[in-house]
């Protein structure tokens, strides 16, 4: 600001003026100088000279009167400090308020919109310094400090722009805690496109609140209607501004700190201190455009950046290196003239609206039609979410700065190619089905608990296929009372991971149905067992496997990651075993060469350890009943893992043996008492393990073995060899 000169006799006149501490106005006979101040009528604010922090410079400012910690809310001469205490705030001719140095230099003077010969400056109870005509009580101000905020937004202040006068009100940080000069950071209400508040460092945007939706800002879901203050954005033809008003006696202020953080503070009388109420940016995902165009930021993920659904990284190499600035593209390009559509996204901070268009009177359906007809329109949403939603907000070109929120504040509809809409509809149907399924599961469990307490007898558990009936499967009461904690996968997630169950992803097929390899979005590889409609193993076996393996944890048991039960689909999702199953190696002439004796011993030992765990160390004593080479999977290090618990049975208490009329399993591995009489126990699994060991050692299948001298299987052949060796041993002993 240019320093003006006034006659020296004014300086002498100011030094003898009588100053009062009890008034709230400055007139031609009342000024502020030295340590004297003026105080608002209710005693809330005080105005005078101060030195910030450790600085010796003098500034004219306004601060809270009754707060022990001096908290300055406005500074007049931010850029031109006084180097001594010779400043005076007074009325000078021809009717203007001015901060004058003792030398006669005008340090600061407001740019008033009108003139008067008898002005007064008054400090209002709101903290607003106003200049008006002494005889005008209509509330018309020639100038007010609220139109020229510094780093603090007080209740009643406007943050925005007047389109008629061109006046823009925004916050600007101090340079430091000792220097109130305008710093690097600003916070303003930006009307471009549709109003939102933006924090910037110079010309670089750092953070934005998201567009105003009638209740709050879409990117600040935690800023909700409350009993402390109310807030809103006003948008008319004449002006746009954000402001807030206090609803209680609480003292609250918003500041643009010199560190670049927007802070809301509340004064607590009981502790006599300021308490930080909220900040912006709140987390890493609030950093403007962190994930690039069409990116999706989730602070709970590491790394936080991903692509919106149906989008893929634009530059995969840079994306993998942690540079997300290139953003994402639709995986299926739009084809506007052949029919696009929209997919609803919920729980997001809405994109930057500075390249948007709006209409307050449209319905959401009309909004969709307008966007659909314009090939440049990329998304639409309600303008105002109050009372069910109204108005239309359209985005053009790329969607910038979207963030996943922990709550759903507002829906946005993003344009997609028509081929993507089919998958989306399926996802919605599956989601509804899953919600109903979960509801039925919870209802069923509650009913089961009630019936058990009342009738104390067995009851049918969850009809949707998670638990099993005790009388049919031999599970104990204790087992049935334990809750099953197993993730439920969405069918569309599994379908996407397996490329819609492509034949190229098929790993094999058993009596239950095919098994596919899949890759989840995070990169995790999985094996998907899809139960066939014509499967020899039905829903009971599916239930049984879920119950058994979900409660088992051992390095030599395959890990069940979750299941999928939707419509007619039932699937089990396992960890992926890259080396397939044991039979792939031991029964193949070329592959068997990869298994030397140390590896074969390692595999036998691992199977034995897993079996020992099932029989003795697990919470449930499990009899597998189908131990065979194809049910032993091998991980990348050739460690064996027992799989397929579809026909496994659990023993409880002192139970050691059971019988069944339904003998199921694989012939050649069954013990005689199980195959003939239906009796099974831990010994049954040990018998199967013995057969498996013989196959691993010999590389021959038990039932596929052929010897020209007899028609016995491998087990029978070994028996012949043993008897022959025993005879030889006996003869040798006889000769000694």
């Amino acid at each position: 600001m240019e320093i003006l000169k006034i006659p020296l006799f004014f300086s002498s006149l100011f030094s003898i003026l009588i100053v009062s501490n009890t008034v709230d106005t400055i007139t031609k006979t009342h000024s502020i100088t030295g340590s004297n101040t003026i105080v608002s009528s209710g005693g809330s604010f005080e105005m005078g000279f101060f030195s910030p922090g450790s600085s010796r410079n003098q500034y004219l400012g306004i601060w809270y009167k009754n707060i022990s910690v001096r908290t300055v809310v406005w500074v007049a001469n931010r850029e031109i400090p006084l180097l001594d205490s010779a400043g005076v705030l007074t009325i000078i001719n021809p009717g203007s308020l001015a901060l004058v140095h003792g030398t006669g230099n005008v340090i600061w003077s407001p740019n008033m919109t009108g003139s008067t010969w008898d002005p007064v400056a008054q400090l209002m109870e709101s903290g607003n310094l106003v200049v008006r005509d002494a005889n005008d009580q209509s509330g018309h101000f020639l100038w007010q400090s609220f139109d020229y905020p510094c780093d603090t937004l007080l209740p009643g202040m406007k943050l925005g722009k007047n389109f008629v006068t061109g006046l823009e009100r925004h916050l600007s940080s101090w340079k430091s805690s000792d220097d109130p000069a305008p710093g690097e950071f600003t916070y303003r209400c930006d009307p471009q496109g549709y109003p939102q508040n933006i924090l910037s460092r110079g010309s670089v945007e750092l953070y934005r609140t998201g567009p105003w939706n009638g209740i709050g800002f879409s990117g600040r879901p935690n800023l909700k209607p409350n009993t402390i203050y109310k807030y809103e954005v006003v948008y008319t033809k004449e002006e746009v501004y954000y402001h807030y008003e206090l609803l209680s006696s609480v003292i609250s202020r918003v500041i643009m700190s010199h560190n670049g953080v927007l802070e809301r503070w509340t004064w607590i009388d009981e502790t006599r201190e300021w308490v930080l109420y909220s900040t912006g940016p709140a987390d890493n995902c609030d950093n403007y455009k962190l994930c690039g165009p069409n990116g999706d930021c989730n602070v709970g993920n590491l790394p936080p950046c991903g692509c919106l659904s149906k989008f893929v990284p634009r530059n995969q190499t840079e994306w993998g290196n942690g540079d997300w600035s290139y953003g994402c593209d639709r995986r299926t390009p739009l084809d506007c003239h052949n029919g696009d559509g929209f997919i609803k996204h919920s729980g997001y901070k809405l994109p930057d609206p500075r390249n948007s268009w709006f209409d307050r009177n449209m319905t959401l359906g009309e909004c969709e039609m307008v966007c659909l007809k314009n090939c440049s329109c990329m998304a639409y949403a309600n303008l105002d979410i109050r009372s069910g939603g109204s108005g239309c907000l359209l985005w053009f070109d790329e969607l910038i700065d979207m963030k996943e929120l922990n709550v759903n504040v507002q829906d946005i509809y993003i344009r997609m190619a028509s081929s993507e809409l089919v998958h989306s509809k399926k996802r919605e149907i599956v989601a509804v089905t899953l919600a109903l399924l979960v509801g039925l599961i919870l209802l069923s469990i509650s009913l089961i608990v009630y019936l058990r307490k009342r009738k104390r007898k067995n009851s049918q558990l969850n009809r949707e296929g998670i638990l099993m009936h005790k009388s049919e499967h031999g599970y104990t009461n204790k087992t049935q009372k334990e809750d099953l904690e197993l993730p439920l996968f969405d069918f569309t997630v599994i379908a996407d991971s397996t490329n819609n169950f492509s034949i190229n992803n098929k790993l094999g097929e058993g009596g239950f149905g095919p098994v596919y390899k899949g890759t989840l979005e995070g990169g995790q590889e999985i094996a998907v067992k899809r139960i066939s409609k014509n499967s020899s193993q039905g829903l009971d076996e599916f239930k049984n496997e879920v119950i058994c393996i979900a409660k088992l944890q051992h390095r030599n048991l395959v890990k069940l990651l979750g299941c999928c039960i939707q419509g007619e689909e039932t699937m089990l999702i396992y960890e992926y075993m890259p080396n397939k199953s044991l039979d792939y190696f031991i029964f193949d002439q070329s592959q068997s060469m990869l298994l030397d004796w140390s590896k074969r011993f390692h595999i036998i030992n691992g199977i034995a350890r897993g079996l020992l765990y099932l029989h003795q160390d697990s919470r449930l004593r499990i009899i597998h009943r189908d131990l065979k080479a194809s049910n032993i999977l091998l991980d990348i290090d050739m460690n064996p893992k027992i799989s397929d618990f579809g026909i496994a049975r659990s023993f409880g208490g002192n139970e050691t043996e059971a019988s069944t009329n339904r003998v199921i399993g694989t012939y050649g591995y069954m013990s005689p008492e199980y195959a003939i009489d239906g009796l099974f126990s831990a010994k049954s699994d040990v018998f199967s393990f013995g057969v498996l060991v013989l196959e691993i050692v010999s590389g021959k299948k038990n039932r596929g073995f052929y010897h020209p001298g007899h028609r016995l299987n491998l087990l029978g052949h070994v028996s012949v060899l043993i008897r022959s060796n025993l005879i030889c041993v006996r003869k040798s002993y006889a000769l000694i």
Side-chain angles (χ1 to χ4, degrees):
M1 180 183 290
E2 183 181 357
I3 300 178
L4 304 177
K5 295 285 187 179
I6 63 173
L8 289 176
F9 71 86
F10 275 111
S11 172
S12 301
L13 178 62
F14 297 151
S15 64
I16 59 174
L17 287 174
I18 300 175
V19 184
S20 171
N21 278 326
T22 59
V23 297
D24 63 354
T25 57
I26 298 171
T27 66
K28 291 181 179 180
T29 59
H30 292 87
S31 303
I32 295 178
T33 185
S35 61
N36 295 296
T37 62
I38 61 172
V39 179
S40 62
S41 60
S44 294
F45 289 93
E46 186 174 19
M47 183 175 184
F49 292 96
F50 75 100
S51 295
S54 59
S55 173
R56 292 188 175 184
N57 294 333
Q58 287 274 308
Y59 296 89
L60 176 70
I62 300 172
W63 56 85
Y64 288 98
K65 169 66 175 174
N66 297 320
I67 290 179
S68 55
V69 181
R70 174 173 284 182
T71 306
V72 178
V73 299
W74 184 80
V75 180
N77 56 322
R78 298 184 72 182
E79 299 179 78
I80 309 177
L82 293 164
L83 304 180
D84 53 38
S85 57
V88 179
L89 181 66
T90 188
I91 302 295
I92 62 173
N93 289 327
S96 177
L97 179 69
L99 172 59
V100 185
H101 191 264
T103 60
N105 296 328
V106 174
I107 304 300
W108 170 84
S109 181
N111 184 19
M112 297 190 298
T113 57
S115 61
T116 178
W117 286 101
D118 189 16
V120 296
Q122 183 177 10
L123 180 59
M124 311 296 285
E125 183 63 12
S126 62
N128 189 16
L129 178 66
V130 302
V131 178
R132 58 177 176 83
D133 188 288
N135 300 312
D136 186 356
Q137 302 297 328
S138 66
H140 173 70
F141 303 142
L142 302 174
W143 179 90
Q144 60 177 341
S145 63
F146 271 18
D147 283 340
Y148 302 90
C150 294
D151 70 330
T152 303
L153 185 70
L154 293 174
M157 292 178 69
K158 295 179 179 180
L159 197 71
K161 186 174 183 178
N162 188 303
F163 302 127
V164 178
T165 64
L167 176 67
E168 198 229 358
R169 312 172 190 91
H170 66 271
L171 302 184
S172 58
S173 66
W174 285 22
K175 279 190 174 180
S176 69
S177 58
D178 297 334
D179 186 356
E184 299 180 280
F185 302 98
T186 59
Y187 185 65
R188 67 184 73 242
C189 181
D190 190 331
Q192 186 177 348
Y194 198 71
Q196 63 178 347
N197 292 350
I198 297 179
L199 190 159
S200 303
R201 185 175 191 172
S203 60
V204 179
E205 292 89 356
L206 300 179
Y207 159 70
R208 65 182 188 90
T209 60
W212 181 257
N213 57 29
I215 295 178
F217 295 107
S218 73
R220 302 210 57 189
N222 295 328
L223 188 63
K224 301 176 180 179
N226 56 79
T227 59
I228 300 175
Y229 59 89
K230 64 178 182 179
Y231 51 93
E232 65 174 337
V233 169
V234 176
Y235 194 8
T236 67
K237 293 181 179 179
E238 291 76 27
E239 63 179 342
V240 59
Y241 62 88
Y242 166 77
H243 74 122
Y244 73 99
E245 304 286 347
L246 292 178
L247 300 176
S248 64
S249 59
V250 172
I251 298 174
S252 179
R253 78 191 201 281
V254 177
I255 68 167
M256 181 68 259
S257 75
H258 65 272
N259 296 320
V261 179
L262 185 75
E263 302 172 342
R264 180 179 292 276
W265 294 85
T266 301
W267 177 257
I268 307 299
D269 281 327
E270 289 78 4
T271 58
R272 309 297 295 171
E273 63 179 348
W274 286 103
V275 174
L276 187 61
Y277 186 78
S278 64
T279 62
D283 53 55
N284 194 36
C285 282
D286 274 338
N287 294 331
Y288 181 69
K289 207 161 57 175
L290 177 68
C291 301
N294 306 315
D296 165 24
C297 195
N298 186 327
V299 70
N301 293 339
L302 190 67
C305 284
C307 290
L308 292 169
S309 177
K310 317 297 182 186
F311 286 75
V312 293
R314 185 169 296 170
N315 187 323
Q316 187 64 59
T317 301
E318 296 300 326
W319 189 276
N321 292 331
D323 180 1
W324 310 298
S325 59
Y326 293 93
C328 307
D329 284 326
R330 288 170 175 79
R331 68 183 183 188
T332 304
L334 297 175
D335 191 356
C336 180
H337 301 293
N338 289 330
D340 294 330
F342 299 93
I343 293 180
K344 183 171 75 171
H345 290 67
S346 302
Y348 282 89
K349 173 183 178 179
L350 296 190
D352 192 339
R354 281 180 286 181
N355 190 20
S356 67
W357 174 89
F358 69 93
D359 187 306
R360 288 192 174 96
N361 299 316
M362 280 187 180
T363 65
L364 192 63
E366 292 170 336
C367 189
E368 178 183 8
M369 295 306 299
V370 170
C371 188
L372 192 61
K373 292 177 181 178
N374 189 327
C375 295
S376 298
C377 181
M378 296 294 104
Y380 71 91
N382 270 135
L383 193 69
D384 193 324
I385 62 174
R386 291 174 294 185
S387 302
S390 63
C392 176
L393 183 59
L394 305 181
W395 282 267
F396 299 90
D397 296 329
E398 294 174 323
L399 306 177
I400 303 296
D401 194 39
M402 293 187 69
K403 169 188 175 181
E404 288 188 48
L405 307 173
N406 54 8
V407 295
N408 180 27
V409 177
Q410 191 169 3
D411 297 327
I412 181 172
Y413 299 81
I414 298 179
R415 193 183 201 111
M416 287 292 169
S418 57
S419 60
E420 296 284 14
L421 302 181
V422 177
H423 298 294
S424 179
K425 292 296 183 182
K426 288 182 179 179
R427 187 180 296 273
E428 291 180 11
I429 294 172
V430 169
V432 172
T433 303
L434 185 59
L436 292 173
L437 180 63
V438 172
L440 288 172
I441 290 173
L442 294 176
L443 181 62
S444 299
I445 291 175
S446 300
L447 181 61
I448 290 166
V449 172
Y450 170 75
L451 292 175
R452 281 182 175 173
K453 288 183 178 180
R454 182 177 178 181
K455 299 181 178 180
R456 294 186 178 277
K457 68 178 184 179
N458 296 333
S459 61
Q460 180 69 34
L461 296 180
N462 195 308
R463 70 176 60 189
E464 297 301 329
I466 298 299
L467 304 181
M468 66 185 64
H469 194 278
K470 176 182 176 182
S471 62
E472 293 180 350
H473 297 282
Y475 273 67
T476 64
N477 288 334
K478 180 179 179 181
T479 300
Q480 296 188 47
K481 289 178 181 178
E482 293 176 349
D483 293 330
L484 179 65
E485 297 178 359
L486 188 66
L488 291 174
F489 282 74
D490 194 305
F491 175 80
T492 55
V493 171
I494 303 303
D496 289 344
S497 73
T498 58
N499 195 20
N500 287 322
F501 304 100
S502 167
I503 188 67
N504 296 327
N505 288 53
K506 190 172 180 180
L507 298 175
E509 187 161 359
F512 49 82
V515 178
Y516 297 90
K517 179 184 177 182
T519 305
L520 299 177
E521 288 187 1
Q524 182 179 5
E525 293 182 321
I526 57 174
V528 179
K529 179 192 287 188
R530 190 180 190 186
I531 310 302
S532 171
K533 296 177 182 178
N534 301 320
S535 168
S536 60
Q537 295 187 17
L539 183 60
D540 288 343
E541 286 78 12
F542 175 82
K543 296 176 184 178
N544 196 74
E545 183 151 7
V546 171
I547 282 293
C548 287
I549 199 168
K551 296 180 179 295
L552 302 178
Q553 294 291 332
H554 192 271
R555 61 184 298 180
N556 294 115
L557 303 183
V558 70
K559 184 177 182 181
L560 180 65
L561 303 178
C563 62
C564 176
I565 312 171
Q566 291 182 211
E568 297 182 356
E569 292 286 351
T570 50
M571 290 179 282
L572 294 171
I573 295 86
Y574 297 93
E575 59 179 337
Y576 174 66
M577 295 289 105
N579 282 322
K580 302 182 180 179
S581 57
L582 180 59
D583 61 339
Y584 175 74
F585 285 90
I586 62 176
F587 300 141
D588 184 273
Q589 188 172 1
S590 59
Q591 295 295 330
S592 63
M593 301 298 293
L594 301 175
L595 295 182
D596 56 22
W597 287 116
S598 62
K599 288 181 180 178
R600 295 184 189 230
F601 179 80
H602 173 74
I603 292 171
I604 293 171
N605 186 56
I607 299 171
R609 291 175 61 182
L611 201 58
L612 181 65
Y613 170 79
L614 291 175
H615 292 172
Q616 294 187 13
D617 300 329
S618 68
R619 289 189 296 167
L620 305 173
R621 186 180 302 161
I622 301 294
I623 309 302
H624 189 279
R625 292 205 300 170
D626 199 20
L627 195 65
K628 57 184 178 180
S630 60
N631 285 340
I632 304 299
L633 304 182
L634 301 172
D635 68 12
I636 193 169
D637 297 317
M638 299 299 287
N639 294 311
K641 294 178 182 285
I642 301 173
S643 69
D644 200 339
F645 289 76
I647 61 172
R649 293 289 294 270
S650 169
F651 284 173
N654 297 320
E655 191 177 8
T656 59
E657 187 179 81
S659 63
T660 179
N661 293 324
R662 187 185 177 206
V663 176
I664 51 178
T666 304
Y667 287 101
Y669 293 91
M670 292 183 186
S671 63
E673 67 270 22
Y674 178 50
I676 298 172
D677 300 321
L679 296 175
F680 62 93
S681 65
K683 296 177 182 178
S684 307
D685 281 351
V686 173
F687 181 92
S688 302
F689 173 72
V691 175
L692 186 55
V693 169
L694 291 177
E695 290 182 337
I696 295 173
V697 171
S698 67
K700 306 294 184 180
K701 292 184 179 180
N702 183 29
R703 297 195 70 192
F705 177 81
Y706 174 78
H707 188 277
H710 55 72
R711 295 183 178 181
L712 300 175
N713 60 14
L714 176 63
L715 196 56
H717 177 63
V718 171
S719 178
V720 170
L721 292 178
I722 291 174
R723 286 198 298 269
S724 298
N725 287 334
L726 287 176
I727 292 172
C728 290
V729 169
R730 288 170 183 165
K731 288 181 177 179
S732 298
Y733 273 110
L735 293 173
I736 294 175

